[in-house]
Amino acid sequence: MPDFQRRELLVQGSAALAAIAALYTSRRAYAFPTRPSEEVIPWLDQPTENPDPVGIQKQLVWEDLDSWITPNDKFFSISHFNRPTINEKTWSMEIGGLVKKPLKLTLADIRARPRQEVVFTVECSGNHGFPFFTGGIGNARWAGTPLAPILEEAGVLEKGIEVVFFGTDKGEVPIRDVKMQQNFARSMSLADAMNPDNLLCYEMNGAALPAANGFPLRLIAPGWYGIANVKWLERIEVRDTRFMSLLMARDYVTIREEEHNGETVWTETSVGRALIKSAPAKVTRKGSDYRIIGAAWGAPIERVEVQIDQGPWAPATIDHSEEAEHAWKIWSLDWANPVPGEHTVTSRAVSTTGQIQPAMDDPLIAKKHTYWESNGQVTRRVRVD
Ligand SMILES: Nc1nc2c(c(=O)[nH]1)N[C@H]1C(S)=C(S)[C@@H](COP(=O)(O)O)O[C@H]1N2
Ligand SMILES: [Mo]
């Protein structure tokens, strides 16, 4: 039983307890839309071989998706520089820069602070941007302590407007003829950093963070693309200007061509908050009953629609058995007696505020010149007999 439900049981009276227990068991019956003895039909369009097996590891195999939570041993990981191995006994983290009282916290100090959990689907903003990079996504229950009270305790000075998160990992970064050994670093505005959802996270699905996912401590910034969730944290620094590191301003930049009064202008923005998206995960078959199962995330999802070949958009059923504000929603659509042969399957998510996941030929996607923030509709190919 998830911790939050266990906690609820402890604090509620016995009548409420019975009601919650009943709700829990009835809800469990609908968890994940798999059917006993179904068979998964592999997609015809498989990702090509990963050319960067050090930087990109354990991509989600969409056909294997069979639980709302992605287990730690199947969770993707991305590293731009090295993958540090950190000794938690000697590790500590500094909070400095424009603060009244710089802090130095050990893992024990951080663990002793109030615990907060969030189920959050992390997606790399490069996901679906390459023919080989389609599984840079996973959903986990992250636990840690909120960042905001720590910044408050350090006392951000009046001038402070930017919070920079430095990882322990480093690599060589060139600009023109200057070469630097730089730490991985990303920043947020002070207002964004103070969001009460942000966690200094030490736990993933009930276990210590795996080394690949940032042990001993990482930032978890629900609602942001993967890149904002800095792993292997070493230092947090408050500054008085915007921060223009490699991964803020020179790479992980989305370049779009836009029309303004009949003229083309180029916008270049740092990869930031997650965007509405969905994807078909797999097609399953039980006898002649086919089912399409997928996920939708990146915004509060109102509904998901599925298009087979050039047919009408059909509403999928959203699985409400396990949901959280920042987590993907699992959806399914029964596909009765498909015509034998090859088909395409496309999904699109619609948010509670009416945003629609753009088609690949929408100017928003078609006129995007870098692969980051690839939230266009995903079409997969499948053959049924
Ligand atoms: N220190 C550090 N943090 C990092 C990265 C990195 O290379 N170094 N990669 C980022 C990117 S691009 C993504 S998509 C997420 C992925 O998180 P995961 O590796 O836990 O899946 O971590 C982010 N945090
Ligand atoms: Mo990423």
Side-chain angles (χ1 to χ4, degrees):
M1 183 179 294
D3 273 354
F4 70 93
Q5 276 164 331
R6 195 178 298 129
R7 225 178 297 128
E8 256 174 75
L9 290 182
L10 291 175
V11 296
Q12 312 254 349
S14 61
L17 191 145
I20 290 168
L23 178 72
Y24 181 77
T25 36
S26 70
R27 279 175 147 204
R28 287 308 289 187
Y30 296 95
F32 212 86
T34 39
R35 300 163 293 179
S37 77
E38 70 183 8
E39 160 196 3
V40 176
I41 317 285
W43 297 114
L44 295 174
D45 49 352
Q46 291 295 334
T48 56
E49 202 190 323
N50 177 5
D52 181 10
V54 175
I56 304 175
Q57 293 180 8
K58 292 188 192 163
Q59 287 193 63
L60 175 72
V61 178
W62 281 100
E63 281 105 321
D64 292 349
L65 183 71
D66 61 359
S67 60
W68 184 57
I69 293 284
T70 314
N72 289 3
D73 62 355
K74 290 190 176 162
F75 206 97
F76 83 103
S77 72
I78 303 290
S79 73
H80 293 82
F81 302 135
N82 60 322
R83 290 175 173 260
T85 310
I86 295 172
N87 179 350
E88 64 168 285
K89 300 219 168 60
T90 51
W91 175 92
S92 65
M93 186 188 59
E94 277 174 18
I95 294 120
L98 298 173
V99 295
K100 289 193 195 83
K101 186 180 78 167
L103 301 174
K104 193 166 188 173
L105 301 173
T106 64
L107 195 56
D109 296 334
I110 289 165
R111 283 181 166 276
R113 299 182 68 96
R115 179 188 167 90
Q116 185 169 306
E117 293 184 356
V118 65
V119 180
F120 166 41
T121 301
V122 179
E123 187 191 20
C124 178
S125 51
N127 195 35
H128 285 283
F130 306 92
F132 58 87
F133 190 38
T134 61
I137 185 167
N139 185 44
R141 182 182 300 276
W142 310 94
T145 195
L147 169 68
I150 293 179
L151 290 174
E152 269 162 19
E153 203 175 303
V156 175
L157 297 174
E158 193 89 47
K159 291 185 295 195
I161 59 161
E162 185 90 341
V163 181
V164 188
F165 301 89
F166 290 93
T168 310
D169 48 330
K170 290 182 181 174
E172 192 178 81
V173 176
I175 299 185
R176 297 222 167 176
D177 57 349
V178 182
K179 285 199 179 95
M180 302 155 273
Q181 273 289 118
Q182 276 194 0
N183 285 70
F184 180 97
R186 279 277 303 191
S187 69
M188 281 183 161
S189 70
L190 180 62
D192 285 333
M194 290 299 287
N195 187 312
D197 291 343
N198 293 338
L199 297 183
L200 293 180
C201 165
Y202 46 74
E203 215 177 270
M204 180 176 174
N205 294 327
L209 274 180
N213 305 99
F215 181 85
L217 195 76
R218 76 179 301 173
L219 179 65
I220 282 293
W224 292 74
Y225 271 115
I227 189 77
N229 297 262
V230 180
K231 303 191 283 188
W232 307 300
L233 277 174
E234 181 178 89
R235 191 157 51 97
I236 298 177
E237 195 179 289
V238 179
R239 303 182 63 94
D240 62 0
T241 52
R242 301 313 306 269
F243 188 72
M244 298 285 155
S245 66
L246 172 72
L247 298 145
M248 279 308 285
R250 301 195 298 286
D251 203 346
Y252 281 81
V253 168
T254 297
I255 302 181
R256 286 191 162 97
E257 210 181 319
E258 291 181 0
E259 292 288 313
H260 285 281
N261 305 324
E263 242 179 75
T264 297
V265 296
W266 296 79
T267 63
E268 297 179 62
T269 55
S270 185
V271 167
R273 289 180 187 82
L275 299 176
I276 186 166
K277 191 165 171 186
S278 70
K282 58 181 171 181
V283 174
T284 63
R285 182 174 85 95
K286 194 173 176 174
S288 58
D289 292 334
Y290 287 77
R291 179 176 283 181
I292 303 160
I293 296 169
W297 64 93
I301 302 298
E302 164 89 16
R303 62 176 195 279
V304 176
E305 297 167 336
V306 181
Q307 185 185 43
I308 295 163
D309 303 322
Q310 295 308 306
W313 289 96
T317 302
I318 291 183
D319 184 322
H320 292 293
S321 60
E322 290 177 294
E323 291 183 297
E325 185 186 351
H326 295 290
W328 60 17
K329 287 193 195 302
I330 304 299
W331 52 263
S332 64
L333 179 75
D334 286 330
W335 185 13
N337 298 306
V339 177
E342 250 187 72
H343 297 278
T344 60
V345 177
T346 306
S347 69
R348 71 175 178 201
V350 180
S351 79
T352 52
T353 58
Q355 277 181 291
I356 303 173
Q357 182 187 356
M360 288 307 285
D361 60 2
D362 187 301
L364 212 59
I365 301 296
K367 296 200 161 192
K368 182 168 74 63
H369 292 266
T370 45
Y371 46 75
W372 313 114
E373 304 187 289
S374 299
N375 72 319
Q377 292 166 18
V378 175
T379 297
R380 303 296 309 257
R381 287 191 299 116
V382 69
R383 173 189 298 282
V384 303
D385 318 303

